[in-house]
Amino acid sequence: MDAGAPWDLQGRSVVMDQDLAPAVEGWQAEPSAGADGLTLSLEVAGRAEAVRVFLRQSEARALAAFITAANGEG
């Protein structure tokens, strides 16, 4: 860890290497034409295909608030 290896705390455990969630290398959000929400596409390290999820507007706002708070913004 002192050398800069990626790690995270999950509860009382320290996780490293393959136990960490894979890194997001890119993302895209597309509004839905037929529903109140958006499709979030995540390009994940080690996966050939993007992971796609549909988020309702309330879920997208909650995710945005979480990311903002986690980054020390707002």
Side-chain angles (χ1 to χ4, degrees):
M1 289 189 286
D2 288 340
W7 61 278
D8 193 14
L9 283 175
Q10 292 184 1
R12 294 178 161 212
S13 300
V14 174
V15 293
M16 297 181 73
D17 299 324
Q18 72 272 11
D19 295 328
L20 287 170
V24 173
E25 296 179 333
W27 64 275
Q28 180 179 3
E30 299 177 46
S32 174
D36 184 27
L38 57 92
T39 298
L40 177 62
S41 299
L42 303 173
E43 296 171 18
V44 179
R47 290 185 58 111
E49 300 272 335
V51 175
R52 291 179 178 81
V53 294
F54 178 80
L55 299 173
R56 290 175 278 190
Q57 290 296 330
S58 60
E59 296 164 336
R61 282 191 297 274
L63 178 59
F66 175 80
I67 292 170
T68 298
N71 285 320
E73 302 169 10

